[in-house]
Amino acid sequence: MTTLRAEGLSLRFGRTTALEDVTFALDDGVTGLLGPNGAGKTTLLRIMATAIPPDSGHLRVLGADPRGAAGRLAIRRRLGYLPQSPGFHQHFTAFEFVDYIAILKEIVDGRHAEVRRVLHAVGLDDQRGKKIKALSGGMRQRVGLAAALLGDPALVILDEPTVGLDPEQRLRFRELIALIGEGRTVLLSTHQTEDVASVCRHVIVLDQGRIRFEGDPVALAGVARGRVWTGPARADGALAAWRTGNGDYHNIGDPPLGARLADPGIEDGYLMLIAAGPAGRAA
Amino acid sequence: MTATPAEAPGTPAAGAAAPLRAVLALARAETARMLRHPVTAAAALLLAGGWVSAWFVIGTTRYPVLQDLDGDGTTGVMVLLGGAALIAGNLAVLRARRDATTGLSQVLVLPDHARTLAHLLALLPLAVAGGVLVLARMAVLALGAPAAGRPNPYELATGPAAVLLLGALGVLLGRLGRSAVLAPLALLVLLAGLVALEPLAHGRPALWLAPQGGSALQMPAPVSLIARPVAAHLGYLLGLAGLLATAAMLRAGARGARVAVAGGVALACTMAGGTAQLSPPDRAVALARTSVTHHPSRYETCRELGHVTYCAFADFSRWIPAWDTVVRAVVAQVPATARPARLTVRQRLAILGFDGGIGPARLLAAWRADDAAAGTPGAIGVDTQWGDGPAAADLAAQVAYRLVTGRTGGARAGERDGVTACGGAGVLVVWLAGQAGPLARTGLRLLAEEARDERGGVSFHETRLFPAVFVPAPELAVATEALARPDAGVAARVQRSWATLTAPGTNAARAAEILGVPAPAASTACR
């Protein structure tokens, strides 16, 4: 069953087009939403989270239409949402904050047990009595994730949850997201192509308000197939090129002299899409 | 996709009762935060601390009159706890905005109007806490020195109602504006209004439109005569709180019949209470006030202790033993042969506006006639305040004057200070009054200090409005010297020379000689 279906979503803020004719569908598992800054990722997530309505287009989330109050309520009951840069009530303890969110989610039966469950799920058993202002950035993100997991939601929307985390925290978070994605739909907005490669079975690339790619990570990498080269020199006309640890240059684009064709990664495919500009949709 | 059954524990409930239960849970959480908020804690400490310090510093000598003190705490509760409710309620509404959690909170299930309802409900325990503090204060007052009367429950509820009113204002301001500065500003405006309104509208009915209500009577009165429109004022305050709460709910998006009914009921309460509180006391109360003022004997209960009959309004009868202590101490210094067969002490009500407009002279005449009709001519007057030094000195001096002269003091038409006690009689009046205990001696000193700037001497009152006995400066000076000597020695001289001291021809210098103290520098031309 499709968890979410968006058809022709468009939204403008004044003269700026935030989204234009966005169409896609989500099923179970983790879907990665990639795109540069200002691509419209957060706007799209906010529409899906029922925070703002689109100007046009149709959206069905968990079988409900968010245009009506009843539909929004039905969606919110089964939605977990971790916004970009979520604020926290700094003087609350981790338990109090998640408990407060649980109340606002109308979780009334077994509320405290549920709060303990989600804090355990994100590995904050020992920190639940600490004030949020005393927690590290990674732990705060876990608190936010715990709040998003309240009520065992069918759809979890995570907006750049790994921003600002150190490598170890990012790996831990990645592990958590993979776990959460088992048996439910997770939409993960991120700049980190490694995160997508690691945990996502489906990827959407958004650029300048339009979907530039939708498919699995292997297909995204495939976008750059035949366009990735390694060699001793930097290609002058490369879309992107950098020197790797072994001294060779990694070139994306036309082959430089003496270069060898390399297997593309998801990052290469992503760069190919973005560097190519809004010429069309690849799949 | 895995759909989780909504009925499973720990999942958002979908039943009809779920929002209400979530509202109650949120209200509980917000209540806990409001009660723990530093502003609330500081307000409660200041309030309780203020009452305790006033009790120790100011109020220990004055016997409490509960129907007079029940409204005293209203302004403090309103300003401090109400101010805390205003700020804490406002901060609760603005929490998501202040902490930048709106991105999440706006997509949570509980709608805005339900959250606002929870914020409003969270104010109730704060008001209850105010009520508990008010009741605790009343209990301390009632259990301490002999308390007169009983508090009015509506008056006691006014402070907590004001807490609700200001709390609702805080919630509404949170819905109207995004800044947390609005609530403290509103509190400042309210305080400025209170300060400005007090002198402008003192005693006027319009004062009842302010949350703290109208000013109290100048003197304590029996419960049945007070007739402050506190019930109507309480309805007015609760109606206003309801209107503010309804406005906050509407602002948060609440619609429907329930909101309309709540708003309608609140408006009706405000209008009905507001109108009723501005109406003057009904005619029956005005007549009762006049009748009780003119004819106190008809409304009093009398009790005989030894040779003295004490008559008091029912609310004040607990004070009779304290009056008796003073009277006995004075009588004990008088030779047995000089003691009268009977004395009567009668409580009188002397409140401006209660006398039916007949004026002081006719009121005094009405009291004399009332005493005569009750079979207690020459009764000694005592008013509705007791426990401080001047009150004890007033009663003791009136008793002393009666014992020394055989007559009762009291102002006559055209007299400024009541009857004047001259020579040895005046000296004895003051000295005997000083025998009524340390409280009376303190009162003597205070009364003498009050008169020092004018022409010396001391005036003792039958009630606060009517002077009964005046003792000129030379007599006061001799008595003060005598009071500074060991009591036993002076008392023996008084017993031995009672007849001489009380004789009309004995002047202050002669009295000083008898009592063994220096003669006064000046003499009085007493008649």
PDB file of all heavy atoms in Angstrom, chain B residues 407-434:
ATOM      1  N   ARG B 407     -19.555  59.828  88.171  1.00  0.00           N
ATOM      2  CA  ARG B 407     -20.282  60.187  86.955  1.00  0.00           C
ATOM      3  C   ARG B 407     -19.619  59.486  85.750  1.00  0.00           C
ATOM      4  O   ARG B 407     -18.482  59.038  85.841  1.00  0.00           O
ATOM      5  CB  ARG B 407     -20.251  61.701  86.731  1.00  0.00           C
ATOM      6  CG  ARG B 407     -20.886  62.511  87.844  1.00  0.00           C
ATOM      7  CD  ARG B 407     -21.009  63.972  87.465  1.00  0.00           C
ATOM      8  NE  ARG B 407     -19.736  64.587  87.151  1.00  0.00           N
ATOM      9  CZ  ARG B 407     -18.914  65.139  88.039  1.00  0.00           C
ATOM     10  NH1 ARG B 407     -19.249  65.139  89.336  1.00  0.00           N
ATOM     11  NH2 ARG B 407     -17.772  65.685  87.680  1.00  0.00           N
ATOM     12  N   THR B 408     -20.352  59.444  84.643  1.00  0.00           N
ATOM     13  CA  THR B 408     -19.803  58.874  83.416  1.00  0.00           C
ATOM     14  C   THR B 408     -19.297  59.997  82.541  1.00  0.00           C
ATOM     15  O   THR B 408     -19.949  61.047  82.437  1.00  0.00           O
ATOM     16  CB  THR B 408     -20.887  58.081  82.663  1.00  0.00           C
ATOM     17  OG1 THR B 408     -21.422  57.091  83.550  1.00  0.00           O
ATOM     18  CG2 THR B 408     -20.307  57.389  81.436  1.00  0.00           C
ATOM     19  N   GLY B 409     -18.151  59.774  81.924  1.00  0.00           N
ATOM     20  CA  GLY B 409     -17.634  60.779  81.011  1.00  0.00           C
ATOM     21  C   GLY B 409     -18.483  60.835  79.758  1.00  0.00           C
ATOM     22  O   GLY B 409     -19.517  60.185  79.640  1.00  0.00           O
ATOM     23  N   GLY B 410     -18.022  61.648  78.826  1.00  0.00           N
ATOM     24  CA  GLY B 410     -18.776  61.741  77.574  1.00  0.00           C
ATOM     25  C   GLY B 410     -18.882  63.177  77.144  1.00  0.00           C
ATOM     26  O   GLY B 410     -18.985  64.085  77.972  1.00  0.00           O
ATOM     27  N   ALA B 411     -18.824  63.370  75.857  1.00  0.00           N
ATOM     28  CA  ALA B 411     -18.900  64.729  75.330  1.00  0.00           C
ATOM     29  C   ALA B 411     -20.313  65.258  75.468  1.00  0.00           C
ATOM     30  O   ALA B 411     -21.271  64.518  75.383  1.00  0.00           O
ATOM     31  CB  ALA B 411     -18.472  64.727  73.870  1.00  0.00           C
ATOM     32  N   ARG B 412     -20.403  66.523  75.721  1.00  0.00           N
ATOM     33  CA  ARG B 412     -21.700  67.195  75.723  1.00  0.00           C
ATOM     34  C   ARG B 412     -21.697  68.138  74.525  1.00  0.00           C
ATOM     35  O   ARG B 412     -20.644  68.415  73.946  1.00  0.00           O
ATOM     36  CB  ARG B 412     -21.906  67.989  77.019  1.00  0.00           C
ATOM     37  CG  ARG B 412     -21.694  67.188  78.286  1.00  0.00           C
ATOM     38  CD  ARG B 412     -22.828  66.166  78.510  1.00  0.00           C
ATOM     39  NE  ARG B 412     -22.663  65.505  79.788  1.00  0.00           N
ATOM     40  CZ  ARG B 412     -22.067  64.316  79.939  1.00  0.00           C
ATOM     41  NH1 ARG B 412     -21.546  63.698  78.878  1.00  0.00           N
ATOM     42  NH2 ARG B 412     -21.982  63.759  81.127  1.00  0.00           N
ATOM     43  N   ALA B 413     -22.859  68.624  74.228  1.00  0.00           N
ATOM     44  CA  ALA B 413     -22.958  69.512  73.077  1.00  0.00           C
ATOM     45  C   ALA B 413     -22.001  70.692  73.221  1.00  0.00           C
ATOM     46  O   ALA B 413     -21.940  71.329  74.281  1.00  0.00           O
ATOM     47  CB  ALA B 413     -24.386  70.023  72.946  1.00  0.00           C
ATOM     48  N   GLY B 414     -21.212  70.966  72.222  1.00  0.00           N
ATOM     49  CA  GLY B 414     -20.290  72.099  72.231  1.00  0.00           C
ATOM     50  C   GLY B 414     -18.958  71.803  72.844  1.00  0.00           C
ATOM     51  O   GLY B 414     -18.034  72.609  72.767  1.00  0.00           O
ATOM     52  N   GLU B 415     -18.780  70.645  73.476  1.00  0.00           N
ATOM     53  CA  GLU B 415     -17.493  70.342  74.089  1.00  0.00           C
ATOM     54  C   GLU B 415     -16.558  69.716  73.064  1.00  0.00           C
ATOM     55  O   GLU B 415     -16.975  68.908  72.228  1.00  0.00           O
ATOM     56  CB  GLU B 415     -17.675  69.365  75.252  1.00  0.00           C
ATOM     57  CG  GLU B 415     -18.273  70.026  76.484  1.00  0.00           C
ATOM     58  CD  GLU B 415     -18.354  69.050  77.642  1.00  0.00           C
ATOM     59  OE1 GLU B 415     -18.313  67.827  77.402  1.00  0.00           O
ATOM     60  OE2 GLU B 415     -18.443  69.507  78.772  1.00  0.00           O
ATOM     61  N   ARG B 416     -15.291  70.088  73.182  1.00  0.00           N
ATOM     62  CA  ARG B 416     -14.323  69.561  72.226  1.00  0.00           C
ATOM     63  C   ARG B 416     -13.740  68.241  72.711  1.00  0.00           C
ATOM     64  O   ARG B 416     -13.481  67.333  71.923  1.00  0.00           O
ATOM     65  CB  ARG B 416     -13.212  70.589  72.042  1.00  0.00           C
ATOM     66  CG  ARG B 416     -12.098  70.112  71.137  1.00  0.00           C
ATOM     67  CD  ARG B 416     -10.995  71.129  71.072  1.00  0.00           C
ATOM     68  NE  ARG B 416      -9.837  70.583  70.371  1.00  0.00           N
ATOM     69  CZ  ARG B 416      -8.686  71.208  70.273  1.00  0.00           C
ATOM     70  NH1 ARG B 416      -8.533  72.396  70.824  1.00  0.00           N
ATOM     71  NH2 ARG B 416      -7.679  70.674  69.647  1.00  0.00           N
ATOM     72  N   ASP B 417     -13.518  68.133  74.038  1.00  0.00           N
ATOM     73  CA  ASP B 417     -12.746  67.015  74.551  1.00  0.00           C
ATOM     74  C   ASP B 417     -13.508  66.126  75.529  1.00  0.00           C
ATOM     75  O   ASP B 417     -12.909  65.348  76.233  1.00  0.00           O
ATOM     76  CB  ASP B 417     -11.505  67.546  75.284  1.00  0.00           C
ATOM     77  CG  ASP B 417     -10.575  68.273  74.326  1.00  0.00           C
ATOM     78  OD1 ASP B 417     -10.389  67.769  73.209  1.00  0.00           O
ATOM     79  OD2 ASP B 417     -10.069  69.336  74.704  1.00  0.00           O
ATOM     80  N   GLY B 418     -14.804  66.222  75.619  1.00  0.00           N
ATOM     81  CA  GLY B 418     -15.508  65.494  76.655  1.00  0.00           C
ATOM     82  C   GLY B 418     -15.386  66.233  77.971  1.00  0.00           C
ATOM     83  O   GLY B 418     -14.942  67.387  78.024  1.00  0.00           O
ATOM     84  N   VAL B 419     -15.782  65.588  79.072  1.00  0.00           N
ATOM     85  CA  VAL B 419     -15.700  66.266  80.366  1.00  0.00           C
ATOM     86  C   VAL B 419     -14.238  66.370  80.782  1.00  0.00           C
ATOM     87  O   VAL B 419     -13.419  65.515  80.452  1.00  0.00           O
ATOM     88  CB  VAL B 419     -16.494  65.511  81.453  1.00  0.00           C
ATOM     89  CG1 VAL B 419     -17.976  65.517  81.114  1.00  0.00           C
ATOM     90  CG2 VAL B 419     -15.965  64.109  81.635  1.00  0.00           C
ATOM     91  N   THR B 420     -13.897  67.453  81.512  1.00  0.00           N
ATOM     92  CA  THR B 420     -12.523  67.640  81.945  1.00  0.00           C
ATOM     93  C   THR B 420     -12.378  67.150  83.383  1.00  0.00           C
ATOM     94  O   THR B 420     -13.177  67.506  84.247  1.00  0.00           O
ATOM     95  CB  THR B 420     -12.137  69.120  81.849  1.00  0.00           C
ATOM     96  OG1 THR B 420     -12.293  69.523  80.490  1.00  0.00           O
ATOM     97  CG2 THR B 420     -10.689  69.348  82.266  1.00  0.00           C
ATOM     98  N   ALA B 421     -11.376  66.328  83.593  1.00  0.00           N
ATOM     99  CA  ALA B 421     -11.100  65.822  84.941  1.00  0.00           C
ATOM    100  C   ALA B 421      -9.995  66.670  85.541  1.00  0.00           C
ATOM    101  O   ALA B 421      -8.855  66.636  85.085  1.00  0.00           O
ATOM    102  CB  ALA B 421     -10.681  64.362  84.872  1.00  0.00           C
ATOM    103  N   CYS B 422     -10.356  67.494  86.571  1.00  0.00           N
ATOM    104  CA  CYS B 422      -9.411  68.456  87.130  1.00  0.00           C
ATOM    105  C   CYS B 422      -8.765  67.962  88.416  1.00  0.00           C
ATOM    106  O   CYS B 422      -9.298  67.081  89.086  1.00  0.00           O
ATOM    107  CB  CYS B 422     -10.144  69.758  87.444  1.00  0.00           C
ATOM    108  SG  CYS B 422     -10.726  70.587  85.985  1.00  0.00           S
ATOM    109  N   GLY B 423      -7.645  68.542  88.742  1.00  0.00           N
ATOM    110  CA  GLY B 423      -7.015  68.372  90.033  1.00  0.00           C
ATOM    111  C   GLY B 423      -6.728  66.925  90.369  1.00  0.00           C
ATOM    112  O   GLY B 423      -6.320  66.130  89.519  1.00  0.00           O
ATOM    113  N   GLY B 424      -6.965  66.594  91.645  1.00  0.00           N
ATOM    114  CA  GLY B 424      -6.674  65.238  92.109  1.00  0.00           C
ATOM    115  C   GLY B 424      -7.464  64.203  91.347  1.00  0.00           C
ATOM    116  O   GLY B 424      -6.961  63.092  91.066  1.00  0.00           O
ATOM    117  N   ALA B 425      -8.701  64.529  90.945  1.00  0.00           N
ATOM    118  CA  ALA B 425      -9.514  63.576  90.176  1.00  0.00           C
ATOM    119  C   ALA B 425      -8.832  63.258  88.846  1.00  0.00           C
ATOM    120  O   ALA B 425      -8.738  62.090  88.428  1.00  0.00           O
ATOM    121  CB  ALA B 425     -10.906  64.159  89.940  1.00  0.00           C
ATOM    122  N   GLY B 426      -8.348  64.291  88.176  1.00  0.00           N
ATOM    123  CA  GLY B 426      -7.671  64.070  86.894  1.00  0.00           C
ATOM    124  C   GLY B 426      -6.430  63.230  87.061  1.00  0.00           C
ATOM    125  O   GLY B 426      -6.154  62.333  86.248  1.00  0.00           O
ATOM    126  N   VAL B 427      -5.650  63.550  88.130  1.00  0.00           N
ATOM    127  CA  VAL B 427      -4.440  62.769  88.385  1.00  0.00           C
ATOM    128  C   VAL B 427      -4.806  61.304  88.599  1.00  0.00           C
ATOM    129  O   VAL B 427      -4.180  60.381  88.044  1.00  0.00           O
ATOM    130  CB  VAL B 427      -3.685  63.323  89.608  1.00  0.00           C
ATOM    131  CG1 VAL B 427      -2.537  62.392  90.005  1.00  0.00           C
ATOM    132  CG2 VAL B 427      -3.172  64.732  89.326  1.00  0.00           C
ATOM    133  N   LEU B 428      -5.853  61.082  89.400  1.00  0.00           N
ATOM    134  CA  LEU B 428      -6.257  59.707  89.693  1.00  0.00           C
ATOM    135  C   LEU B 428      -6.733  58.969  88.437  1.00  0.00           C
ATOM    136  O   LEU B 428      -6.466  57.778  88.263  1.00  0.00           O
ATOM    137  CB  LEU B 428      -7.386  59.709  90.733  1.00  0.00           C
ATOM    138  CG  LEU B 428      -6.957  59.687  92.195  1.00  0.00           C
ATOM    139  CD1 LEU B 428      -8.190  59.626  93.103  1.00  0.00           C
ATOM    140  CD2 LEU B 428      -6.063  58.472  92.480  1.00  0.00           C
ATOM    141  N   VAL B 429      -7.472  59.687  87.583  1.00  0.00           N
ATOM    142  CA  VAL B 429      -7.971  59.040  86.351  1.00  0.00           C
ATOM    143  C   VAL B 429      -6.805  58.464  85.547  1.00  0.00           C
ATOM    144  O   VAL B 429      -6.824  57.309  85.121  1.00  0.00           O
ATOM    145  CB  VAL B 429      -8.787  60.049  85.501  1.00  0.00           C
ATOM    146  CG1 VAL B 429      -8.975  59.523  84.081  1.00  0.00           C
ATOM    147  CG2 VAL B 429     -10.138  60.317  86.144  1.00  0.00           C
ATOM    148  N   VAL B 430      -5.770  59.274  85.382  1.00  0.00           N
ATOM    149  CA  VAL B 430      -4.644  58.810  84.582  1.00  0.00           C
ATOM    150  C   VAL B 430      -3.882  57.701  85.315  1.00  0.00           C
ATOM    151  O   VAL B 430      -3.511  56.679  84.732  1.00  0.00           O
ATOM    152  CB  VAL B 430      -3.705  59.975  84.222  1.00  0.00           C
ATOM    153  CG1 VAL B 430      -2.459  59.470  83.496  1.00  0.00           C
ATOM    154  CG2 VAL B 430      -4.435  60.989  83.369  1.00  0.00           C
ATOM    155  N   TRP B 431      -3.655  57.924  86.632  1.00  0.00           N
ATOM    156  CA  TRP B 431      -2.894  56.919  87.372  1.00  0.00           C
ATOM    157  C   TRP B 431      -3.641  55.572  87.393  1.00  0.00           C
ATOM    158  O   TRP B 431      -3.056  54.521  87.175  1.00  0.00           O
ATOM    159  CB  TRP B 431      -2.638  57.404  88.797  1.00  0.00           C
ATOM    160  CG  TRP B 431      -1.777  56.413  89.558  1.00  0.00           C
ATOM    161  CD1 TRP B 431      -0.424  56.283  89.509  1.00  0.00           C
ATOM    162  CD2 TRP B 431      -2.251  55.390  90.443  1.00  0.00           C
ATOM    163  NE1 TRP B 431      -0.003  55.252  90.304  1.00  0.00           N
ATOM    164  CE2 TRP B 431      -1.109  54.684  90.898  1.00  0.00           C
ATOM    165  CE3 TRP B 431      -3.511  55.017  90.909  1.00  0.00           C
ATOM    166  CZ2 TRP B 431      -1.204  53.626  91.789  1.00  0.00           C
ATOM    167  CZ3 TRP B 431      -3.588  53.955  91.793  1.00  0.00           C
ATOM    168  CH2 TRP B 431      -2.441  53.274  92.227  1.00  0.00           C
ATOM    169  N   LEU B 432      -4.953  55.629  87.625  1.00  0.00           N
ATOM    170  CA  LEU B 432      -5.743  54.382  87.637  1.00  0.00           C
ATOM    171  C   LEU B 432      -5.735  53.719  86.259  1.00  0.00           C
ATOM    172  O   LEU B 432      -5.647  52.498  86.149  1.00  0.00           O
ATOM    173  CB  LEU B 432      -7.179  54.669  88.064  1.00  0.00           C
ATOM    174  CG  LEU B 432      -7.393  54.930  89.560  1.00  0.00           C
ATOM    175  CD1 LEU B 432      -8.814  55.432  89.818  1.00  0.00           C
ATOM    176  CD2 LEU B 432      -7.127  53.657  90.371  1.00  0.00           C
ATOM    177  N   ALA B 433      -5.849  54.554  85.214  1.00  0.00           N
ATOM    178  CA  ALA B 433      -5.801  53.977  83.864  1.00  0.00           C
ATOM    179  C   ALA B 433      -4.477  53.253  83.641  1.00  0.00           C
ATOM    180  O   ALA B 433      -4.421  52.201  82.992  1.00  0.00           O
ATOM    181  CB  ALA B 433      -5.988  55.081  82.827  1.00  0.00           C
ATOM    182  N   GLY B 434      -3.408  53.799  84.218  1.00  0.00           N
ATOM    183  CA  GLY B 434      -2.092  53.164  84.075  1.00  0.00           C
ATOM    184  C   GLY B 434      -1.985  51.855  84.815  1.00  0.00           C
ATOM    185  O   GLY B 434      -1.064  51.066  84.552  1.00  0.00           O
TER     186      GLY B 434
END
